[in-house]
Amino acid sequence: QYWANPQTRATLVKYCVQDTDLLRRIEDKTGYLELHQTVCEACGVQPDSASLKPTVFVDMFMLRLGQSRGTRFPTKYYADELETSKYTGAFVMQPTESGIIENVHVCDFASLYPSVMITWNLSPDTKDSQGTCISPGTGLRTTTERVGIICYALQTLLDLRSQWTKIRASLPPGTPESKDAERRTNAYKMVANSFYGVVGTPYSRFYDRDVVESTTLNGQWLLKQTLAHVTSKSWSARVVYGDTDSLFVTGVTDAEFEVFVDECNTQLYPGLTRDHGCATNSVKLAYEKAFSRLVFTA
C-alpha cells in the first residue's frame, strides 16, 4: 500500500534504506557473513542459504576428503520415513546451592565431542565387535588398527584451526590479515563442532546412532569422572553446577584449581582412556574463567 501510493512511497524508501544500513552495521559487529563465507571456502560449497546447514557444508568437506583418500560414501536416499527415536543427550547437573555463591571457578573441556570421537575412534567404519577400544557409555567396541574417516576429518580440521591460531598470534591485531586468520580459526572450529550433529541426524549420509550416542554418553562419563575426582580429594572444593562439558567449583583458590586442571590432563584422562583401550587421548580440560559472585535463583 505504501508503494502504490505516491505520497507514502518516499517513506517506504526511507525505511528500506535504513533497513539495509542496519544490516551493514550488524555485519560490522558480528562478521556473520564473513564467517559464513570462510566456512564455505573451507568446505568447498557455494555461500548461499542452503550452505547454512551443517549437513551441507560437512557433507561437501567429507566428499572432498573422501575423494583425496579414495573413499566412497553411501548415497543418501531421502525416504518418507526416517528414524525419529531420540538418543541420550548431555548431562546437566542441577545446582547444589541457591542464592549468591562466592568465588566460583569454571573448567571446560576443549571441543568435547570432537575430542571424544577422536579418542574412542568413533566412526561408522571403525565399529568392530572384536575391537579393543570400548566406550564406557554404551559398550560400543571400535578398532584401533585404523583411524576412522570421521576422526581423520576432525583431526584435520583441528590441526588447521591450530595452524591458523598460530598465524593469527603472529600478526598485528586489527590488520586485515589478522582478521582473516581469526575468521579461519573460527570457521574450522565451527565445522569441527558440527560433526556431532551431522552424524546424529538421519538426514545425513554419515548418520550412525551408535556413534552419536557413544559420543554423548562418553562425554557424560568424562564429566562425571571429573566431578568424582573433585569430591575424592581432601580439600574444601564443592561442585555447585555442571552442564554438558563444564563444571562450576567453589571453595578453592585460583592456584589450587589450576593444579587440579593440570592433574586431570596429565594423570586422570590419560589413565581413564588407556584403561578403555584408546590408542590416543585428545581429551583436555581448561580453566575457562572464574566468577567473584554467581547467583542461582533456584
Side-chain angles (χ1 to χ4, degrees), residues 277-293:
C278 300
T280 185
N281 171 51
S282 296
V283 177
K284 186 175 178 61
L285 198 66
Y287 184 172
E288 187 187 24
K289 59 194 171 195
F291 297 102
S292 57
R293 291 186 183 88

Side-chain angles (χ1 to χ4, degrees), residues 46-297:
Q46 294 292 335
D48 53 21
S49 297
S51 57
L52 288 168
K53 299 176 182 178
T55 48
V56 173
F57 61 73
V58 168
D59 196 52
M60 183 55 71
F61 181 86
M62 289 297 294
L63 288 172
R64 296 171 81 197
L65 183 67
Q67 183 184 39
S68 69
R69 288 167 54 92
T71 302
R72 297 292 178 265
F73 300 111
T75 299
K76 177 61 186 175
Y77 295 100
Y78 290 93
D80 293 333
E81 295 183 5
L82 292 170
E83 182 182 338
T84 57
S85 58
K86 294 183 178 181
Y87 46 83
T88 307
F91 169 64
V92 179
M93 173 185 169
Q94 292 298 313
T96 59
E97 302 177 22
S98 61
I100 300 173
I101 307 170
E102 306 278 350
N103 300 319
V104 179
H105 306 270
V106 182
C107 58
D108 179 270
F109 287 104
S111 300
L112 175 61
Y113 287 161
S115 67
V116 164
M117 296 175 87
I118 292 170
T119 298
W120 272 273
N121 203 23
L122 292 170
S123 185
D125 56 321
T126 57
K127 295 193 298 182
D128 186 344
S129 60
Q130 303 301 314
T132 56
C133 185
I134 305 172
S135 290
T138 59
L140 179 69
R141 288 178 174 267
T142 50
T143 183
T144 56
E145 295 179 0
R146 63 185 182 280
V147 176
I149 188 67
I150 295 291
C151 306
Y152 179 83
L154 284 169
Q155 192 60 62
T156 299
L157 287 163
L158 294 177
D159 289 346
L160 285 167
R161 185 195 177 200
S162 177
Q163 174 186 329
W164 281 101
T165 299
K166 292 177 181 177
I167 293 173
R168 181 186 63 182
S170 69
L171 295 168
T175 61
E177 294 79 10
S178 175
K179 291 181 178 179
D180 179 63
E182 183 174 6
R183 283 194 300 272
R184 293 183 183 277
T185 297
N186 294 334
Y188 287 121
K189 177 183 178 181
M190 179 179 168
V191 177
N193 287 340
S194 298
F195 265 70
Y196 160 76
V198 172
V199 176
T201 174
Y203 294 99
S204 164
R205 76 176 76 236
F206 308 107
Y207 172 65
D208 193 298
R209 184 189 176 95
D210 293 334
V211 168
V212 73
E213 193 157 43
S214 295
T215 300
T216 54
L217 289 178
N218 288 0
Q220 279 199 25
W221 180 78
L222 281 168
L223 190 64
K224 291 175 182 177
Q225 290 293 318
T226 309
L227 192 159
H229 194 56
V230 173
T231 57
S232 69
K233 297 171 66 68
S234 56
W235 59 345
S236 57
R238 307 188 311 278
V239 177
V240 294
Y241 181 61
D243 184 356
T244 308
D245 61 353
S246 60
L247 287 178
F248 292 59
V249 181
T250 189
V252 293
T253 65
D254 294 3
E256 287 174 327
F257 200 63
E258 287 177 355
V259 170
F260 169 77
V261 169
D262 183 66
E263 186 179 284
C264 287
N265 289 328
T266 57
Q267 299 176 39
L268 181 64
Y269 304 141
L272 290 173
T273 54
R274 186 170 55 247
D275 290 345
H276 284 81
C278 300
T280 185
N281 171 51
S282 296
V283 177
K284 186 175 178 61
L285 198 66
Y287 184 172
E288 187 187 24
K289 59 194 171 195
F291 297 102
S292 57
R293 291 186 183 88
L294 187 65
V295 181
F296 286 113
T297 58

Side-chain angles (χ1 to χ4, degrees), residues 27-49:
E27 173 63 14
D28 286 345
K29 288 286 185 180
T30 64
Y32 182 78
L33 294 176
E34 287 187 344
L35 176 60
H36 179 53
Q37 173 73 31
T38 307
V39 168
C40 292
E41 289 176 9
C43 297
V45 293
Q46 294 292 335
D48 53 21
S49 297

